Every structure is written in C-alpha cells, then in structure tokens.
Amino acid sequence: MATEWYVGRGNDVTGPVTFEQLAARARLGRLRRDDRLCAVGSSNWQTAGQMAQLWSGATAVSSGPAGAIPSTSHSDGNFSFAAITGGLTWRFVKAHWNGDLPLAFAYWGVGFLLQAVLLGLGYGVKVFLHASHPGSIITGLTLFLVLAFSCVCTVWQLVGVWRSAGRSMESSGSLFPIFARIAVMAGALRLAISFNSFFAPMLQESALLAVGIDTTPAYHLALSQSGKVLELSGGMPFGTAQAVRQQLADHPEIKLLKLESQGGRIGEAMEIYTLLHDNALSTWTEKGCASACTIAFLGGRARYLSPDGKLGYHSASFGGVDKSQIGGINDEIKQLMRDVGIPDDFIAKATAASAASIWIPSTDELVEAGIVTKVLEPSKE
C-alpha cells in the first residue's frame, strides 16, 4: 500500500495525505520546505525540503509500514477545498492568514467571497437600522462593529495574499506572484489613505454614539398659543422624531409644523416626514431650514415659505464622510424626493454640494420644483 504522510507545521499536524497530494501542495505553494513530514507508522520526521522528488515534479511513491500515528499533537483531517467552500470557518480563516491557500484562490476567490460578505452585511445593517430605529447607542455600536470588522477583514485578506504569493514565488516561475504582491502593496496604501479619511472619522462618530454621545445640536419644541402650530428649532439628534410624535399625540389640534432647524440625523428627518405625511399636516419655514430639515419639510401636505425663508441642501454624511466616499449615501433621499414629485435636475443639485457646503436655491426655484407650494407673509401661521 502506498505510504501516507503526516504534515507538521508549528504545533499542528494534519493528515494523513498521499504523496500525490503532497506533490500537489508543493506545486501550488501550499507546502513549505521547512514543513515536517512523517510516514504513517513511523516516528521519524524529516523536512519537506529533504524530499527532492516533491520539488522536481516526480510522482513516484514508496511503501512503508502501516501503524500508529506519530507521537505528537495533531489536528483533525486534511485541509481541502470542501472546507474552504463550506464557509468562513476558523480553519479557513487561519489557512488564508498563514498563506496556505493556493495563490489564485487567495487572490480571486477570497477577494470575491469577502466582497460578497461585506456587501451582504452592509445591506443587512441598513435594513435593520431603517426598520427598527434602535436609537443612538445600538446604532453606534452596530456601525462601529461593522466598520471594525471591515477593517480587520481587509487586513486579513491582504496579509493572506502576500504570504501565499511569497510561497508561490518559491516554487513557481510565474509572474503572477509578483503581480499579486504589487497589488497587495497598492491595496495597503489605499487602506492607509481610506482609514484616515473614511474609517477613522466614521469609527469615531460610531464610538461616540455607542456610549450615548450625540454631537448633533439639541432640538427645541414650542407650541403656539393657538395650539395649532408646533415649532421645531435647533438640531435633529436621535429622539427628535419621538418627541414630535408625542406632541402630536398630546395635542391633536396641531395642524402645522414650523421648521426652523439646521438639520441633523437623516433617520429622524425621515421619521418626521412620515409623521407629517400620515397625519396630513402642513409645514412652514419662516427663516431657515437646512440639511436634514429639508427632508422633514417635504412631509407637509402643503408646504409654506415666508418671503425671507431659505431652504439649504447638501449631501448626506456620517462623521463628515459624504457622497465623495460613499456613493449611495444619498439614494434614499433621492428616492423620497422622486416620490414627492421633485424633478431630477433639482434632486441632482440638492445632493451635489459636499457636506461642508450648502446650496440655497431661490424662492422661484423652490416653487418651480414643487418643494414649496405657497409663499406666505411672515405673520401667517
């Protein structure tokens, strides 16, 4: 019977495997020359580099006695592509990190798999936050964990490809390992740049929310003497929509929401939009409504603007990161505006400005686009 072999690396032992499997591992760069080999039934270990036929492409096999497993610790079974495709198990994670996977699979396969996982995770988090409105702490904690996981996974991918390429260079004359290492260096540079401009500010914002700190200015609610107008001023931090909802429940005579806000959390503005729409209330801005406030403004059945009133628009952002780095960050806002009937050219301008700037359209532009349904005198409620 052909000899089977145990393979030792560090404190781990895998196997037994056939000589043909060892030779295939050597060709694919998954077997190191300093890996330890021991035939089944023997207690004598040798390095893989001592078996010249493994590295010359020979397929000759030898016979040896059957018997006990070598007296050293070992892990269970061979690492195979079945284990790879079976899911992101610890064994797979460790194998990629150590560079044990074939270079082509580490570069293309793991890259595709990681991209799919991160896209799916991002979509799932978006659906969860949109559907449950969990509040600042859960939102911050969720986003922090997802962002940290993305960073760790990216580093894991780059390290695994780098190590796999190094091993492939030892046993292959192909240029692909060199190309792979150049790609890893470019990826590491992109990661360093994006960490400073993308991950770091978003991680900081998420961490603050996770510990209950919302840097958005506080909101202020005031009911008019007639009881028919509720004024919302200040910012729109987490909890603003719930406070408006409570006021509407306590004062069913409210007919109009006056918005004099600098904006804040997009999710809160979306909730206020829904409250206004569902209760057939109107909106009015006398002086200024900017950023997320303009989303809430659209919820009014009738939307009034005083002659000196201004509406200000710019891209959505999180931690200062806007559309320049998150391509789809304005998609939900754009769809809401389309649902209201706002023309695409106005939507494009409204979301084009960076988060650090603002676009203030003229009153005529607002009326023509259908944002404002009527211009009122300042004294009217």
Side-chain angles (χ1 to χ4, degrees), residues 125-209:
V125 168
K126 180 180 178 180
V127 171
F128 164 70
L129 296 178
H130 182 74
S132 59
H133 305 290
S136 62
I137 294 177
I138 298 300
T139 297
L141 183 60
T142 301
L143 293 175
F144 183 87
L145 291 176
V146 170
L147 288 165
F149 178 73
S150 299
C151 289
V152 170
C153 285
T154 303
V155 172
W156 168 77
Q157 181 194 18
L158 293 173
V159 170
V161 172
W162 180 271
R163 290 175 174 173
S164 180
R167 291 178 188 168
S168 184
M169 290 168 69
E170 296 176 358
S171 57
S172 171
S174 170
L175 293 176
F176 181 51
I178 299 175
F179 165 77
R181 281 205 158 178
I182 292 174
V184 168
M185 288 188 286
L189 179 61
R190 286 196 305 270
L191 178 62
I193 295 172
S194 64
F195 186 85
N196 183 59
S197 61
F198 177 83
F199 284 105
M202 294 188 72
L203 282 167
Q204 181 180 18
E205 181 79 2
S206 300
L208 289 173
L209 290 176

Side-chain angles (χ1 to χ4, degrees), residues 156-381:
W156 168 77
Q157 181 194 18
L158 293 173
V159 170
V161 172
W162 180 271
R163 290 175 174 173
S164 180
R167 291 178 188 168
S168 184
M169 290 168 69
E170 296 176 358
S171 57
S172 171
S174 170
L175 293 176
F176 181 51
I178 299 175
F179 165 77
R181 281 205 158 178
I182 292 174
V184 168
M185 288 188 286
L189 179 61
R190 286 196 305 270
L191 178 62
I193 295 172
S194 64
F195 186 85
N196 183 59
S197 61
F198 177 83
F199 284 105
M202 294 188 72
L203 282 167
Q204 181 180 18
E205 181 79 2
S206 300
L208 289 173
L209 290 176
V211 297
I213 301 174
D214 190 346
T215 57
T216 306
Y219 65 83
H220 302 283
L221 291 173
L223 192 64
S224 67
Q225 290 184 350
S226 66
K228 295 182 179 180
V229 178
L230 177 66
E231 179 176 341
L232 170 60
S233 59
M236 288 185 177
F238 282 97
T240 306
Q242 179 55 38
V244 172
R245 180 182 291 108
Q246 189 61 54
Q247 286 290 322
L248 296 180
D250 294 343
H251 305 280
E253 67 275 13
I254 293 174
K255 300 299 180 184
L256 184 146
L257 179 65
K258 183 182 180 184
L259 290 165
E260 305 291 343
S261 171
Q262 64 198 76
R265 301 295 174 184
I266 298 294
E268 297 298 309
M270 292 280 190
E271 282 194 70
I272 295 173
Y273 167 92
T274 302
L275 282 171
L276 296 170
H277 182 272
D278 291 349
N279 288 279
L281 302 181
S282 297
T283 52
W284 169 37
T285 292
E286 181 181 16
K287 296 178 181 178
C289 172
S291 190
C293 177
T294 61
I295 298 172
F297 183 84
L298 282 176
R301 179 181 59 179
R303 299 181 290 275
Y304 306 125
L305 185 69
S306 293
D308 295 331
K310 304 294 182 183
L311 299 183
Y313 297 86
H314 59 196
S315 170
S317 65
F318 184 79
V321 180
D322 61 15
K323 65 181 182 64
S324 62
Q325 292 171 286
I326 308 177
I329 194 169
N330 292 310
D331 288 352
E332 195 171 2
I333 298 172
K334 290 179 178 179
Q335 187 57 55
L336 183 146
M337 295 179 80
R338 291 190 187 100
D339 292 342
V340 175
I342 310 304
D344 287 339
D345 59 341
F346 186 95
I347 295 174
K349 292 179 181 179
T351 56
S354 70
S357 61
I358 196 163
W359 174 57
I360 301 177
S362 67
T363 301
D364 289 343
E365 287 177 300
L366 292 170
V367 173
E368 182 179 353
I371 299 287
V372 172
T373 59
K374 190 173 182 180
V375 178
L376 296 179
E377 293 300 324
S379 60
K380 292 190 178 181
E381 286 192 342

Side-chain angles (χ1 to χ4, degrees), residues 6-12 22 26 29-38 45-51 54-55 98 100 167 170:
Y6 290 97
V7 182
R9 178 177 297 172
N11 294 324
D12 294 333
L22 284 176
R30 291 171 53 202
L31 185 69
R32 304 181 195 172
R33 292 182 180 270
D34 61 351
D35 284 342
R36 306 186 310 280
L37 303 177
C38 182
W45 291 83
Q46 60 182 310
T47 63
Q50 293 176 278
M51 297 182 64
L54 283 175
W55 312 101
N98 290 334
D100 292 339
R167 291 178 188 168
E170 296 176 358

